[in-house]
Amino acid sequence: MVAALWHKVPANLPDRLEACLDRMLAGRPPASVEVFFRADDIAVPGANLARLLSLFQDRRTPLALALVPAWLTASRWEQLARWQRNSPELWCWHLHGWRHHNHAPRGEKKAEFGPHRPVTVLAGELRKGCQRLQHILG
C-alpha cells in the first residue's frame, strides 16, 4: 500500500540533501526544497491521529506512517485503512521496527535496533514485523 509518489525517491538523495544544507549554511538557500513528512509509532487509532491525518488530507500533503507491528491488530488496521481508501495517493504505510521497545543500555540513547543487539535478532524482528504487516494489511 505505497503511494506512487514514494516509488520515485531520487537515487542521489543524500548528495542533494548535503548540497542543500551546504547552501543553506552558506546563506544561499536553494530556489526550492523538497521535504517529506513522517508520523512515527502508528498502530492505535485515536483522536490525535485522526486530527493529523485530516490535516494532511485536507492539504493534499503526503505522509509516511511508520506502523509498529506488535501494536497493530486487524481491527485497528480497519480503522486506519479508512484513510487509505479515502486518499490512497497520500499515505505510505511502512514498517517501524517490531514493538518499539528500548533495548539500549542504561544511559545510552534510546534504540530498538542498535549495535548492542545481535544482527540475527534484529533481522528476526524485522522479518516478524514484515510478516505481521503483510498478514494484517494484505
Side-chain angles (χ1 to χ4, degrees), residues 14-78:
D15 295 333
R16 289 173 60 183
L17 286 173
E18 187 172 342
C20 179
L21 290 172
D22 287 345
R23 290 185 66 186
M24 296 289 283
L25 292 172
R28 301 182 330 269
S32 66
V33 176
E34 294 180 34
V35 299
F36 76 94
F37 297 96
R38 171 182 162 150
D40 234 357
D41 309 338
I42 305 298
V44 183
N48 287 338
L49 181 59
R51 281 195 298 273
L52 178 69
L53 295 177
S54 291
L55 175 73
F56 278 79
Q57 186 175 45
D58 291 349
R59 286 158 182 80
R60 306 296 305 153
T61 302
L63 178 63
L65 295 121
L67 294 165
V68 179
W71 299 351
L72 192 64
T73 64
S75 62
R76 287 175 175 171
W77 172 247
E78 181 52 40

Side-chain angles (χ1 to χ4, degrees), residues 90-101:
L90 295 180
W91 318 121
C92 172
W93 307 92
H94 64 275
L95 175 67
H96 184 45
W98 164 238
R99 61 185 186 119
H100 196 56
H101 179 80

